[in-house]
Amino acid sequence: MATTVLHKADTRGHADHGWLNAYHSFSFASWYNPDRIQFGVLRVLNDDTIAGGMGFGTHPHDNMEIITIPLEGDLAHKDSMGNESTIKTGDVQVMSAGTGIKHSEFNPNADQQTKLFQIWLFPKTKNVTPRYQQITLDLTEQKNNFAQILSPNANDAGVWIHQDAWFHLADFDATFSKNYEIKKEGNGLYVFVISGAITIDDQELETRDGLGITDFKTLEFTATTDAKFLLMEIPMEQ
């Protein structure tokens, strides 16, 4: 029998800094909820909107796998490894912070906001050599499908990280249904609805709701409306 934890959209932490409007699924910065520290190795799921021309100044990270998924607009990136690039809607970026990196992120467009998810996972191995990777996704692969965008394997679809995790993006038409099978025994699944509404077995989820699920082998996903959502399969033990 699957075990679930439901995080409704309106229960998330919220901070509006003017230049940054951020929603936190898990405790972050000044928002602390002792019941919402992490789900397995998933430590941060931030839903950020950055105003035109604004961004995060140079700041450090270590021993964290950091995944950024732009939803609207562009994000310019610069880091201490010498990488300078811009990620756009339809891209995915990953940094293995490992022994330590510094980076900055900003919206290069003065007349357009940038929306993105930033996700942090605890790594499987500490103090690895820092690394950076970004790819452009084929959005057609997400239509009525679970399109893999991240895995532990460098030769597999999507980016790779130092963790036994698999991420998929899905774009379902209303009433479409498909089963998801767990890839590694003992892993859990955290599902986040980007837009629309879905049901997972009998659990209904709406836009920006999150659901953590453990102790299952197969789950049935059905779109109540046209819906886009992110699946994050992750280890439950850090």
Side-chain angles (χ1 to χ4, degrees), residues 3-233:
T3 302
T4 61
V5 55
L6 176 63
H7 297 152
K8 295 295 289 182
D10 61 3
T11 68
R12 297 179 295 168
H14 180 225
D16 189 346
H17 302 285
W19 67 273
L20 171 67
N21 189 21
Y23 288 87
H24 313 304
S25 292
F26 300 96
S27 294
F28 190 83
S30 61
W31 184 66
Y32 176 75
N33 181 333
D35 298 322
R36 299 271 286 270
I37 303 297
Q38 64 195 86
F39 178 77
V41 302
L42 174 58
R43 175 60 189 87
V44 168
L45 172 52
N46 287 348
D47 182 359
D48 292 344
T49 300
I50 304 172
M54 305 301 288
F56 301 91
T58 302
H59 58 282
H61 294 282
D62 64 63
N63 288 317
M64 197 68 74
E65 302 293 306
I66 301 169
I67 302 102
T68 302
I69 303 172
L71 304 174
E72 179 184 310
D74 306 329
L75 187 71
H77 166 95
K78 186 176 182 180
D79 65 43
S80 55
M81 294 178 282
N83 298 297
E84 288 190 49
S85 63
T86 299
I87 56 174
K88 301 175 180 292
T89 306
D91 293 348
V92 60
Q93 175 203 76
V94 65
M95 290 188 301
S96 298
T99 54
I101 59 167
K102 294 180 179 180
H103 77 134
S104 62
E105 302 164 291
F106 72 96
N107 177 356
N109 304 311
D111 59 348
Q112 181 184 9
Q113 64 185 10
T114 295
K115 295 185 177 183
L116 60 95
F117 294 149
Q118 187 162 100
I119 301 158
W120 298 4
L121 302 184
F122 290 112
K124 184 177 182 178
T125 306
K126 286 191 172 185
N127 297 321
V128 299
T129 301
R131 60 176 292 272
Y132 176 91
Q133 184 185 9
Q134 75 177 70
I135 62 170
T136 298
L137 304 172
D138 181 352
L139 300 183
T140 63
E141 294 179 353
Q142 299 172 23
K143 177 57 67 175
N144 294 328
N145 189 37
F146 302 126
Q148 183 174 292
I149 66 165
L150 176 148
S151 80
N153 308 308
N155 296 323
D156 211 349
V159 294
W160 70 273
I161 62 170
H162 295 279
Q163 187 53 273
D164 293 327
W166 288 263
F167 285 16
H168 295 78
L169 280 169
D171 180 2
F172 280 15
D173 293 329
T175 75
F176 183 79
S177 184
K178 186 177 177 68
N179 286 348
Y180 180 87
E181 295 184 9
I182 200 76
K183 295 189 179 299
K184 184 176 180 181
E185 186 176 354
N187 274 5
L189 188 70
Y190 195 87
V191 181
F192 193 78
V193 181
I194 301 170
S195 63
I198 63 173
T199 60
I200 305 173
D201 289 346
D202 295 324
Q203 177 66 59
E204 297 181 359
L205 299 177
E206 298 176 313
T207 300
R208 269 24 185 206
D209 288 350
L211 184 70
I213 314 158
T214 54
D215 305 315
F216 75 94
K217 290 185 177 180
T218 304
L219 296 167
E220 183 180 33
F221 287 74
T222 303
T224 310
T225 66
D226 290 351
K228 296 181 180 180
F229 52 100
L230 172 66
L231 298 83
M232 295 169 278
E233 180 182 327

